[in-house]
Amino acid sequence: MTSAGVDGRAPHEAHPRDDTAVPAVRSEGGGLSGLLRPDRVLDRIAQDLAERFGSVFSPETVDRYVVESHAALARTSRVTTHLPALTARFAADRLHALARAEAVVPRDVLEVLFVCVQNAGRSQMAAGLLNRRAAGRVRVRSAGSAPEEAIHPSVVAAMAEVGVDLTTEFPKPLTDEVVRAADVVIAMGCGDACPVYPGKRYEHWLLEDPAEATVEEARRIRDVVDAHVRRLMTELLLEP
């Protein structure tokens, strides 16, 4: 779509690309100078998301979020063959959060954000359990102040035992717009990495880190996290 975004900039005009060209080094704002960008893949992602968010954001804004999301994930991604798909998911989620933070989409349900250091254990457990128990009545996100390459295998195994599939999830860096979009922010051992905004509910859960845990140990941590999730749901007036 061609409407301008909330940043007030006019849409850019399409420009031809040489499909035979190798990935180019493209300099972007926000500290991304020198990023090796696979142009055709990221442009396709940006075009798809520009259509999806065209009534909200300009193509330039969408393109910037795609490039920044790709750069952030590339720093920690272990399997680069999946990086384009993860970039599309991460950028789309960030744009949705930005739209909510800027009040350009309805705040139809509560949003809960779980933050830990690596986003590979505790926050993923909490997000998966709340997603399963709330059944669509809240929107759940998770992030890490220093994300790991992948979710801990013992965590994936322990969560599968209770019907929560984390095999398609991935560690994500903490970004400002997901904090601003959240109504409830739950921190788990990440110190003061999460910015504090007025009007939000903040909690700190003291939970053991399952980074080096066996499946049995991860199972025990999972059950403690689940007890916290059930309490949170009760306080949010959501029946598990």
Side-chain angles (χ1 to χ4, degrees), residues 173-210:
L174 179 65
T175 57
D176 183 71
E177 68 280 339
V178 299
V179 181
R180 291 195 292 130
D183 299 292
V184 181
V185 179
I186 309 294
M188 307 171 181
C190 55
D192 58 357
C194 188
V196 176
Y197 290 102
K200 302 183 184 303
R201 171 176 175 162
Y202 287 86
E203 289 189 21
H204 187 87
W205 293 358
L206 297 176
L207 299 168
E208 190 177 346
D209 188 351

Side-chain angles (χ1 to χ4, degrees), residues 3-238:
S3 58
V6 295
D7 58 5
R9 289 179 287 180
H12 70 286
E13 294 182 358
H15 54 283
R17 286 195 178 276
D18 179 1
D19 287 344
T20 64
V22 296
V25 174
R26 175 172 171 177
S27 189
E28 297 283 345
L32 294 177
S33 178
L35 170 66
L36 185 64
R37 170 175 170 156
D39 284 324
R40 287 178 295 171
V41 175
L42 294 191
D43 280 354
R44 189 175 303 116
I45 294 171
Q47 289 165 8
D48 290 343
L49 292 179
E51 292 182 4
R52 177 175 169 185
F53 291 93
S55 63
V56 181
F57 300 116
S58 70
E60 291 88 350
T61 297
V62 173
D63 184 74
R64 176 167 58 86
Y65 268 74
V66 169
V67 173
E68 289 178 354
S69 297
H70 178 268
L73 293 178
R75 296 187 189 105
T76 58
S77 179
R78 177 184 299 169
V79 184
T80 57
T81 53
H82 299 312
L83 192 54
L86 299 184
T87 296
R89 288 174 57 188
F90 185 41
D93 193 55
R94 291 183 63 200
L95 287 165
H96 183 278
L98 180 63
R100 179 177 169 109
E102 299 289 341
V104 293
V105 295
R107 299 179 73 90
D108 48 354
V109 295
L110 284 175
E111 294 209 11
V112 179
L113 172 65
F114 295 101
V115 184
C116 66
V117 177
Q118 297 178 332
N119 193 216
R122 295 164 290 185
S123 57
Q124 292 281 359
M125 283 180 165
L129 289 164
L130 182 56
N131 255 327
R132 183 172 182 270
R133 296 198 179 283
R137 290 172 290 166
V138 295
R139 184 179 181 92
V140 185
R141 291 187 173 92
S142 68
S145 56
E148 193 36 283
E149 292 181 343
I151 299 175
H152 306 309
S154 61
V155 169
V156 175
M159 294 299 289
E161 295 176 351
V162 293
V164 178
D165 182 9
L166 293 183
T167 58
T168 61
E169 299 299 324
F170 58 99
K172 300 169 288 295
L174 179 65
T175 57
D176 183 71
E177 68 280 339
V178 299
V179 181
R180 291 195 292 130
D183 299 292
V184 181
V185 179
I186 309 294
M188 307 171 181
C190 55
D192 58 357
C194 188
V196 176
Y197 290 102
K200 302 183 184 303
R201 171 176 175 162
Y202 287 86
E203 289 189 21
H204 187 87
W205 293 358
L206 297 176
L207 299 168
E208 190 177 346
D209 188 351
E212 304 295 331
T214 64
V215 174
E216 182 178 356
E217 292 167 339
R219 186 182 299 127
R220 174 174 49 80
I221 296 170
R222 176 204 67 202
D223 292 343
V224 174
V225 173
D226 195 26
H228 281 277
V229 167
R230 288 173 176 269
R231 175 189 59 78
L232 177 65
M233 291 187 65
T234 299
E235 293 175 358
L236 296 179
L237 303 181
L238 297 170

